């Protein structure tokens, strides 16, 4: 006997929730390391019949027959594909292959044949193409700039400075303005405001305008323009980092939002909260608009769902949440779907990129190695299908730990994940007043790179090591009691983090200035190598660096590793030095016992060059 629609809906919903719980919580099958796909970027042909998927972990591009599959072609890439975009006529596929010296591959969209390869900067990603197809814009994440590529000549013609870690770009339909999402703030932390910016670039003059997002904004992941060219939408977090993190409810620590920018005015028009009153929407990632411009679609990487929001509501006619730096966030009074917003659970894990073709929303599910297909005209559960990109992944401890690290559903009410404060395992570059060492002594978030190799943990060394910090973080930051097997998986992931090659290296080697700086660093007259000895560049001890008066109740602070220090500004525990140079010049009276005061300006410059090359 056929079940009534309400009963069928409930059954499907139960199956989706059961599958999600099984993937997140079940102990994964042990075995040899499988080959993961890791879909991270999507594009769809103009006729909507072919999908292109960048599989970051497998280092390949997959061609898929839409809307249901199968895979018809897989092309290997020379490095991790981090983004892709089709030419306006649909004949060419531009793929950014991320590396210290990145490459943009130009592929024949029909056959997959490589037509050309164009050099780009460090960790190229987030490509955007002009409406006339003549210019391609590529974000060079760790060079902090954007490559302008002449597509006819197949060569870079300019570099435009961004702000900090540009990760995504979107161009207006008229081709006049490129908007670039900078992943992290670039502010000193003893000032106001502190927050990431979107860089607006005039595509003719290359002049830039910085559009500041709300105080506490960070972790931008994606950006898109409305079809009418009036608005730009960027996903990110807003942190109430000035509050003592006593709880997570009502966005007390982190909120998950989309900021709306007015294109003509080049200013912030609205910030739309995506969280509900008691069930948040952790870690927003991909964002796109439907072709008619009526709806905005957002992937929530931490809660494994998508939000579909009326664009009119996002632009400011209806705000579901508003923010206050003093009280956190005040949400709407209902979690029920409305005509303006609905949240759709997905069958897979870790949704990232999204794209729309007709009534179909395609979502790259990173940890499930699948593409979800959401029918926007169907009921939430009835409309979700999946396309498998490979065998069902068997999660090793490391991979399971990576999933858990990015999974907001293990947090109370799903407000945040470990990645909310440590995106990519690094730092949100904000000061937090954690309660593990008393109240009233804010300190900058530390990167987790080499955390297990460099005990003790925390700025004041209040944890014996990273393993203790993992368990304390689950309890005191996510407000969750998780099984030891999950803690061990998180340990495995954090231990697997590897340093990224510094953008200050020249062909992977120290420059002449950095070589001179290395000699100074190891010289007894500077004393740098005494507290920061190679290879970890820390002596694992607590030292007085003259910062008590500004940053708390203790004289002694943990000596951080200098590996990847180029990535972790601002510096010192309070984050008041935006660059290493300012730290050494302004703080040299206390650092190294005053030995740095004797250095010349050139010697300081050489020392900075070496430190930033680590």
């Amino acid at each position: 006997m056929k079940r009534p629609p309400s009963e069928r809906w409930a059954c499907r919903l139960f199956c989706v929730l059961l599958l999600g719980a099984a993937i997140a919580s079940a102990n994964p099958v042990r075995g040899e390391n499988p080959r993961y796909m890791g879909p991270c970027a999507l594009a769809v042909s103009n006729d909507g019949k072919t999908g292109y998927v960048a599989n970051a972990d497998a280092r390949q591009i997959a061609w898929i027959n839409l809307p249901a599959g199968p895979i018809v072609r897989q092309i290997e890439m020379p490095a991790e594909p981090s983004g892709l975009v089709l030419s306006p006529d649909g004949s060419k596929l531009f793929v950014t292959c991320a590396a210290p010296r990145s490459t943009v591959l130009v592929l024949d969209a029909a056959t997959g044949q490589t037509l050309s390869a164009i050099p780009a900067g460090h960790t190229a990603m987030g490509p955007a193409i002009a409406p006339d197809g003549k210019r391609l814009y590529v974000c060079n994440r760790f060079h902090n700039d954007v490559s302008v590529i002449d597509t006819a000549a197949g060569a870079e013609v300019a570099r435009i400075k961004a702000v900090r870690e540009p990760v995504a770009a979107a161009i207006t339909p008229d081709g006049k303005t490129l908007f670039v999402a900078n992943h992290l703030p670039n502010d000193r932390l003893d000032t106001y405001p502190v927050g990431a910016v979107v860089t607006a670039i005039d595509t003719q003059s290359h002049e830039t305008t910085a559009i500041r997002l709300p105080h506490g904004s960070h972790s931008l992941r994606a950006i898109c323009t409305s079809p009418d060219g009036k608005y730009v939408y960027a996903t990110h977090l807003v942190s109430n980092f000035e509050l003592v993190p006593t709880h997570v409810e009502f966005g007390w620590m982190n909120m998950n939002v989309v900021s709306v920018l007015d294109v003509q005015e080049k200013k912030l028009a609205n910030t739309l909260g995506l969280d509900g009153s008691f069930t948040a929407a952790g870690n927003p990632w991909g964002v796109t608009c439907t072709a008619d411009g009526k709806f905005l679609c957002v992937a929530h990487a931490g809660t494994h769902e998508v939000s579909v929001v009326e664009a009119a509501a996002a632009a400011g006619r209806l705000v579901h949440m508003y923010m206050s730096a003093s009280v956190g966030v005040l949400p709407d009074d209902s979690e029920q779907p409305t005509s303006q917003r609905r949240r759709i659970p997905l069958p897979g894990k870790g949704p990232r990129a999204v794209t729309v073709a007709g009534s179909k929303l395609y979502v790259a599910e990173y940890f499930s190695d699948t593409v979800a297909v959401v029918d926007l005209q169907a009921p939430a559960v009835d409309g979700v299908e999946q396309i498998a990109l490979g065998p069902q992944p068997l999660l090793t401890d490391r991979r399971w730990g990576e999933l858990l690290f990015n999974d907001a559903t293990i947090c109370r009410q799903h407000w945040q994940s470990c990645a909310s404060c440590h995106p990519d395992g690094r730092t949100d570059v904000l000061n937090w007043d954690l309660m593990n060492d008393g109240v009233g002594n804010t300190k900058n978030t530390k990167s987790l790179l080499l955390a297990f190799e460099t005990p003790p943990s925390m700025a004041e060394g209040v944890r014996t090591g990273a393993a203790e910090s993992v368990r304390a973080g689950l309890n005191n930051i996510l407000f969750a009691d998780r099984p030891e097997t999950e803690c061990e998986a998180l340990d495995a992931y954090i231990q697997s983090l590897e340093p990224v090659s510094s953008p200050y290296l020249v062909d992977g080697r120290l420059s002449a200035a950095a070589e001179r700086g290395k000699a100074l660093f190891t010289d007894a007259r500077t004393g740098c190598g005494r507290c920061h000895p190679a290879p970890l560049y820390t002596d694992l001890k607590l030292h007085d660096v003259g910062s008590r008066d500004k940053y708390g109740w203790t004289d002694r602070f943990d000596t951080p590793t200098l590996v990847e220090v180029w990535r972790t500004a601002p510096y010192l525990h309070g984050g008041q030095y935006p660059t290493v140079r300012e730290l050494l010049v302004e703080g040299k009276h206390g650092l190294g016992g005053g030995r740095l005061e004797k250095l010349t300006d050139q010697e300081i410059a050489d020392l900075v060059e070496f430190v930033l090359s680590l």
Side-chain angles (χ1 to χ4, degrees), residues 224-246:
C224 73
T225 58
S226 61
D228 61 11
K230 293 182 178 180
Y231 297 104
V232 168
Y233 307 99
T235 58
H236 61 95
L237 275 64
V238 174
S239 294
N240 288 305
F241 63 96
E242 293 163 325
L243 303 177
V244 179
T246 55

Side-chain angles (χ1 to χ4, degrees), residues 475-534:
N475 288 316
N476 302 325
I477 303 301
L478 300 189
F479 294 87
D481 183 15
R482 308 301 300 183
E484 177 61 20
T485 51
E486 291 187 2
C487 297
E488 292 171 353
L490 286 165
D491 292 346
Y493 168 64
I494 295 170
Q495 289 179 80
S496 75
L497 296 174
E498 296 183 356
V500 173
S501 178
S502 171
Y504 290 85
L505 294 173
V506 179
D507 295 329
R509 299 182 178 182
L510 296 178
S511 66
E515 287 286 4
R516 296 192 299 269
K518 181 179 180 180
L520 282 168
F521 189 90
T522 56
D523 195 312
R525 69 188 178 103
T526 66
C528 297
R530 184 178 62 184
C531 295
H532 295 279

Side-chain angles (χ1 to χ4, degrees), residues 583-603:
L583 170 63
L584 295 184
V585 171
E586 296 180 25
K588 63 184 180 181
H589 61 279
L591 298 171
R595 294 183 179 89
L596 301 187
E597 289 183 310
K598 302 175 183 178
L599 298 183
T600 66
D601 289 346
Q602 183 59 57
E603 287 175 324

Side-chain angles (χ1 to χ4, degrees), residues 184-256:
L184 294 174
N186 198 38
D187 301 306
R188 56 187 300 161
L189 299 181
D190 58 350
T191 60
Y192 180 93
V194 173
V197 303
V198 170
T199 302
I201 301 173
D202 185 305
T203 57
Q204 294 299 312
S205 67
H206 294 175
E207 293 181 354
T208 64
T209 302
I211 304 172
R212 184 171 286 277
L213 301 181
H215 182 59
S217 295
H218 65 95
S219 295
L220 277 71
R221 290 294 187 181
I223 194 168
C224 73
T225 58
S226 61
D228 61 11
K230 293 182 178 180
Y231 297 104
V232 168
Y233 307 99
T235 58
H236 61 95
L237 275 64
V238 174
S239 294
N240 288 305
F241 63 96
E242 293 163 325
L243 303 177
V244 179
T246 55
H247 57 281
V248 292
E249 287 86 351
F250 302 118
W252 187 264
M253 291 178 63
N254 283 301
M255 297 168 290
N256 305 281

